[in-house]
Structures are given as C-alpha cells and as structure tokens.
Amino acid sequence: MGHVATLLPSPVRLNRLRAALRDRYSVVQCASWDELLGACGREPVSIAVVDLYTGAGEKVDGGFEWLRQLKRRYPSVALVAYVGTPPAKARDMFEAGRFGIDGLVVADQDDEPRRMLGLIEQADARGVVEMLRRSIIDVKPTVRDATLIAVTRAHERLSPETLARILGVRRKALSERLSQSGFPTAQRLIAWGRLIVAARMLEDSGRSADSVALALDFPSGSAFRNTCQRYVRSAPHQIRAGGGAHFVIAAFLDEARGVSRGEPLLVAS
C-alpha cells in the first residue's frame, strides 16, 4: 500500500481525500511543512498532497520555498496541489509548477472520489511513465498501453487477467500481442512495472530498500531484494547507484529486445 503525506488545513478536503484513497493508500496527516518533510523521511511516502493556502488565502509557511525543499530532498515524491478557486491564482499555479507540482486538484471540481483518485495516481507515476513512454513509442498500442499500466498501477495487486480487462482484451489476446512484440509475459510485465516504480523511489537517498518494499506491498524487504536480483541482477543499492529508474528501464528494454547482458535472465516463479 502506498503512503500519501498530506498538508491540508481543511478537514473537509482531508475527508474527501481519504474517501477517494480508501484502502488504496495510507494517509499520513501532517500539520506543518516540517512535519511533512519528516514524514517523507520516516515513512514510505510516494505522494504529498498539499494546500498552498491557509484559510486567510496566504501561502502556507511560504509554500513555494517548502516545495523547493521537498523536491530537492525527495525528488521521487509526487506533489499534488489541492486548492480552491479562489484563493488560487493562475500566476501562483504557474510558479508552483516550476517547482515540481505533478498534479492539481481543484476543490469542488476535481474532488469527486473516482476523479481525485485518478488524478493522484497519474501524478504518482507521471515522471517515470513519460520516461518509459519515449522508449516504447513505436511499440504496438496494446503492448505500449499494457506496459504503461503496469507502471501506473504498480501499487495495486495486478494480475494478468486484471491487466487484460483494463485493456479491454482477452488474456489470450494480450499474451499473443506481447509475444509478437517480443515483450515479456503479462506476469513478468507486471513485475517489471513494480520494479521500475521501486527504482524511481530508490533515487531518494533517504529511502531504504525496506521502505520501498513496504510502499509497493512486497511481502518483505528480502522478497524485494530477491526480485531485484531475479530481474535486474542487481541489489537495490546497485540500482540506486546505477541511476534508479533509468537503470531498470534499460534492463527491461533489454529483455523486451532479447538482449543478453552476460547471462540469461531467470524466469520468475
């Protein structure tokens, strides 16, 4: 289960967020930017949802400077601004975007549970998805979409059947299209999606392998390390040193292209 750290002075907005996240994410409620930064260091936080304004319409604790600090210390944490109109101003949103806002939720417009959950999940995976999308732009649409969904839904317990249903195809048809494109099986594709997101999280020097394993619902830190070795033939610290998501995406593309990196990749049990 992923963790979402919040800085939302409004109880109404906090409750709406909780209703949207349900059992998909665990909410870590913070009362200040200091608490938010501390939570990102202690907990396996993958998303921060913040209100840039107080009830008086002013930026919380000089919000943009805190955004800069958060992005500098925890670059893989997706930032979602949850604001109202007013007091949100277009100029402020533009400025906040320069500091790394990945998503925007406008109160009373975007905070219906299903829509809000979708916006938050998109923000969570946006950076690594765009990186991956550029690498598979020429792949057949169903195969490309299956790969991107494996990443955007890495926090879920996807199965090949669920993946096929999301894509609107039969599992057999999905298997055939993946095979024809030289891509891994649906089960391996799902595992690769989790590893790509895990590698993105490992780019934060303050995160341990155990906290990443917890965030992505691996049975244990050992299970996560074993999966890294099985698929990437590297330990988490080697993935971090090798460039994080870039490193794992390169390994994934090697498998998809049938490229050997010294010895055959093991098939997951």
Side-chain angles (χ1 to χ4, degrees):
M1 178 183 292
H3 281 53
V4 175
T6 68
L7 179 55
L8 297 174
S10 166
V12 172
R13 293 183 191 175
L14 180 61
N15 288 336
R16 287 178 180 176
L17 179 66
R18 289 185 184 277
L21 300 181
R22 299 187 299 277
D23 57 353
R24 193 72 59 84
Y25 294 88
S26 176
V27 175
V28 182
Q29 186 177 351
C30 304
S32 69
W33 282 99
D34 273 327
E35 283 191 26
L36 187 71
L37 288 172
C40 290
R42 293 189 310 272
E43 308 284 345
V45 171
S46 59
I47 311 165
V49 181
V50 302
D51 186 344
L52 301 179
Y53 299 88
T54 64
E58 298 178 354
K59 297 167 197 165
V60 179
D61 298 332
F64 296 148
E65 175 57 32
W66 283 104
L67 289 180
R68 186 185 294 111
Q69 289 190 39
L70 182 59
K71 266 305 192 184
R72 184 173 63 246
R73 291 171 60 177
Y74 302 103
S76 79
V77 173
L79 284 169
V80 177
Y82 189 174
V83 300
T85 52
K89 305 175 182 67
R91 182 178 298 175
D92 285 348
M93 293 302 98
F94 177 77
E95 185 179 352
R98 291 173 52 230
F99 294 130
I101 290 290
D102 299 291
L104 178 67
V105 175
V106 178
D108 302 319
Q109 294 182 34
D110 300 321
D111 49 8
E112 178 273 328
R114 182 175 297 180
R115 175 165 174 74
M116 188 190 293
L117 178 61
L119 289 171
I120 288 172
E121 288 184 326
Q122 290 169 22
D124 191 14
R126 178 165 293 150
V128 71
V129 162
E130 289 307 312
M131 188 190 312
L132 180 59
R133 191 194 304 275
R134 291 192 296 270
S135 301
I136 57 173
I137 193 169
D138 296 326
V139 174
K140 290 181 178 179
T142 300
V143 175
R144 181 179 64 245
D145 291 346
T147 304
L148 297 178
I149 288 169
V151 173
T152 59
R153 302 204 176 191
H155 293 87
E156 301 179 24
R157 287 185 173 275
L158 281 179
S159 67
E161 292 80 8
T162 303
L163 180 59
R165 186 166 60 251
I166 293 169
L167 292 165
V169 300
R170 295 180 181 276
R171 179 178 175 179
K172 183 178 180 181
L174 173 60
S175 297
E176 289 173 351
R177 293 178 195 182
L178 289 171
S179 177
Q180 290 166 1
S181 295
F183 269 56
T185 65
Q187 189 65 55
R188 284 185 68 83
L189 190 65
I190 290 166
W192 274 113
R194 294 175 80 196
L195 280 175
I196 289 169
V197 174
R200 174 64 170 153
M201 296 176 70
L202 284 170
E203 292 173 17
D204 294 348
S205 59
R207 290 187 189 274
S208 66
D210 287 341
S211 70
V212 172
L214 179 61
L216 291 172
D217 205 24
F218 282 87
S220 65
S222 295
F224 171 54
R225 292 179 181 87
N226 290 339
T227 302
C228 291
Q229 289 288 352
R230 182 179 300 125
Y231 282 76
V232 194
R233 294 194 301 278
S234 300
H237 74 273
Q238 294 172 311
I239 291 174
R240 192 199 308 271
H246 284 282
F247 183 82
V248 174
I249 287 174
F252 164 70
L253 293 174
D254 279 357
E255 178 171 326
R257 295 164 181 157
V259 177
S260 173
R261 303 182 101 186
E263 53 185 86
L265 288 169
L266 300 176
V267 177
S269 58

